[in-house]
Amino acid sequence: MHLINSSLNHALRVPLAAEIHSRPFLQLDAPELITHLAVYSNDAHDTGRSNMQAQHATLAALCTHFGVTGPSGEAKYFYYDFGRFRLKWECHTEFATFTFAEHPDAPVPLEQAFERMPLEQLPQQWLAGLKGKLMVAAHVVLERAVEPADTYMQGLSRVFEGNTLVGSEVLQGGELWTDFTIQSDGFSRFIIRDAGMRSQQSGRLVQRVLEIETYRMFALLGLPYAMQAAPSLSAIENELATLAAAMVETDNARGDDGASEQALLDRITRLAARIEKLSLDNSYRFSASKAYMGLVRARIEELREVRIEGIPTVEEFMDRRLTPAMNTCAAMASRQEAMAQRIANTNDLLRTRVGIVQELQNRQILQSMNARAAQQLQLQQAVEGLSVAAISYYVIGLFSYTGKAAKVMGLPVNPEILVGALVPFVAAGVWLGLRRMHHKLHVD
C-alpha cells in the first residue's frame, strides 16, 4: 500500500517532512573556489513576502541570463549546476544568500585563488541590479593540506590584510584561517584546508563558516540601533526623574484643584509615547540580533575547534569582539523595557493621585449640595409658615363673609366674634393639613 498520495496523510505531512532537507550543504571536494553573497532586503522593516518576491526576481534574472528555468515563486531554496559554476540560493526572512562554487581543473596557487573566484563568471549587469544591499561578501578557498600548519601559516600574510589572524583545527581533519576583515577588493576571505576530512565534511564546514560570517554581520545590525537609542533613553530618564521630583513637591491638598497633576499627567503621557515609539523602532532589531547571536554560537560549537599554538580561535575572537557588542544591544533592550515599566508605574501613581484629587473635589461638591439643600429646607419651612398664615387669612375671610350674610338675614350671629373664635381652629387645621400632605409626599 502506497501512502505518499493517500488521503490518510495530513495536508502538511509531506512539506513538513521535507522542510529539514530543504537547505542541504554543497557537495565540495578540494580544490574549490567559493563566492558567497548575502543580500539584505532593505533598511526598513519591510520583510517577509516582499523580500522573497524581490529575491526571486533577482534569481530569475540570473537564470534567464544563462537560459535556465528558475524555481517556483514559493521556493526558499534552489540549487543548480550551471557548468562553469554551481549555485546554491537560500531565501531567509530579511535576506537571501547566493553561494557560487567552482571546481578548478587543477589546484590554484593561493596568491591567485582569490583573483579567480566564480564571481568572474557572473554578468556585471546582474550584480549591479541586486534587489537590496550587500551585507556579506566573502571568498572561500578550499584546498588540500600539503604542508604543516606552522609552515603554511607563514605565507598567509600575502592574502590577509588584517592585523589579527584567526585559525584553528576544525572537525578533526580540517583547518580554518581568516581575519574577519573586509579586504581591499571588498570581500572577506576564508581559507579552509582539507587535512584528512571525511566525505561530505568539506561542504558542511564551508556552510558553517559562511553562516558564522553571515549571522555575525546581521547580529551586528543591532549595534547602531543601540548606539542611537542611548541618548534618547538618557533624555527620557532625566525627564522622568524631573517629573518624579515634581510629583513629590506637588501638594494638591491646598493647591490648585488638580491642575498640577493634570500637567504632570500630560508630561508622563508624552514620555510613554516616546518610549513606545523607541521600542517599536528597536525591539525587532534587538530581538533579531539576539537570535542571530545564538546561531553564531551554535555554528562555532559545531566546528569543534582545536587551538593552533599562538593563534586565537574563532570562538575566542568572537568572545572578544562580537560578545561586547551583543551585550550592549541586550543591555539597551533591557534598559528600554525597564524604562517603559518605570514610566508605566509612574503613570499609574499619578493617575491614582489625580483620582484622589477628583474624589476630594466630588466630596466638596456633595458637601456644598448638602448645604444648599439645608438652606432650601429652611427657606421652605419659612415659606410654609407664610403659607399657613395666607391660607388661614383667606379661609377666615370666607367665614367672615358667611357671618355677615347670616346677620343680614336676621340670624343671631356676631361676625366679629365668630371670626375671632375660628382663627385658632382654622390656623391649626391648615397647618395640620400641610403637614399631612408633606408627610404623604415624603413617604411616596
Side-chain angles (χ1 to χ4, degrees), residues 149 152-153 156 160 165-167 175-178 190-191 193 308:
Y152 183 80
M153 183 175 58
L156 292 180
F160 291 117
L165 183 63
V166 179
E175 293 178 10
L176 170 62
W177 301 93
T178 185
F190 297 87
I191 298 175
R193 302 179 72 210
I308 297 176

Side-chain angles (χ1 to χ4, degrees), residues 74-368:
E74 299 297 326
K76 295 183 179 180
Y77 169 83
F78 178 71
Y79 172 81
Y80 194 82
D81 189 345
F82 287 81
R84 289 178 289 179
F85 62 88
R86 289 111 63 204
L87 166 65
K88 175 187 174 183
W89 174 85
E90 293 182 3
C91 188
H92 299 261
T93 302
E94 56 181 354
F95 67 93
T97 59
F98 296 81
T99 305
F100 306 92
E102 178 184 353
H103 182 73
D105 297 333
V108 180
L110 188 60
E111 294 81 1
Q112 303 176 14
F114 288 104
E115 299 178 358
R116 295 184 52 184
M117 287 291 165
L119 184 71
E120 302 296 326
Q121 310 291 343
L122 303 178
Q124 295 300 311
Q125 184 178 1
W126 177 82
L127 287 172
L130 289 176
K131 303 297 183 180
K133 300 296 182 180
L134 282 178
M135 195 66 192
V136 177
H139 288 322
V140 181
V141 173
L142 173 64
E143 61 179 12
R144 296 196 180 277
V146 295
E147 55 184 332
D150 294 340
T151 304
Y152 183 80
M153 183 175 58
Q154 304 301 322
L156 292 180
S157 60
R158 299 191 301 270
V159 294
F160 291 117
E161 301 171 4
N163 297 324
T164 302
L165 183 63
V166 179
S168 62
E169 297 178 0
V170 293
L171 296 183
Q172 299 178 350
E175 293 178 10
L176 170 62
W177 301 93
T178 185
D179 59 356
F180 290 106
T181 300
I182 298 178
Q183 310 296 320
S184 57
D185 60 356
F187 288 80
S188 53
R189 295 178 177 180
F190 297 87
I191 298 175
I192 296 177
R193 302 179 72 210
D194 185 350
M197 288 189 289
R198 297 177 178 85
S199 175
Q200 300 184 347
Q201 277 190 316
S202 297
R204 291 200 299 268
L205 177 56
V206 169
Q207 178 168 313
R208 288 167 183 168
V209 169
L210 292 177
E211 286 177 348
I212 288 172
E213 175 68 1
T214 301
Y215 295 141
R216 172 182 76 95
M217 293 299 295
F218 279 97
L220 284 170
L221 270 179
L223 185 59
Y225 286 81
M227 303 300 291
Q228 293 173 6
S232 299
L233 281 175
S234 297
I236 293 174
E237 284 180 341
N238 293 335
E239 189 167 348
L240 181 61
T242 303
L243 191 146
M247 287 178 59
V248 173
E249 296 174 357
T250 301
D251 182 8
N252 286 287
R254 303 181 302 275
D256 47 7
D257 296 331
S260 299
E261 263 76 8
Q262 292 293 343
L264 292 175
L265 189 58
D266 181 68
R267 289 172 59 186
I268 196 67
T269 302
R270 293 177 183 273
L271 280 183
R274 287 170 60 186
I275 196 68
E276 185 66 21
K277 182 180 184 303
L278 199 63
S279 178
L280 290 174
D281 291 341
N282 300 330
S283 294
Y284 172 79
R285 195 71 264 161
F286 291 157
S287 299
S289 292
K290 181 179 179 181
Y292 285 131
M293 186 59 186
L295 291 173
V296 170
R297 290 196 175 101
R299 298 300 182 268
I300 291 176
E301 290 180 0
E302 293 172 359
L303 293 179
R304 299 196 296 274
E305 291 185 282
V306 177
R307 175 186 295 278
I308 297 176
E309 192 62 34
I311 302 296
T313 64
V314 174
E315 183 177 11
E316 291 173 344
F317 180 85
M318 293 298 176
D319 284 340
R320 186 171 65 252
R321 303 294 179 88
L322 182 60
T323 300
M326 294 300 97
N327 290 341
T328 299
C329 294
M332 198 60 60
S334 299
R335 183 182 175 191
Q336 188 171 273
E337 293 176 2
M339 181 59 57
Q341 187 60 47
R342 287 173 57 191
I343 290 177
N345 293 339
T346 305
N347 191 18
D348 292 341
L349 177 61
L350 194 53
R351 288 185 182 276
T352 302
R353 292 185 56 175
V354 171
I356 293 174
V357 171
Q358 290 176 345
E359 289 180 1
L360 181 60
Q361 292 174 347
N362 293 337
R363 182 179 178 183
Q364 293 174 349
I365 292 173
L366 291 175
Q367 290 176 347
S368 176

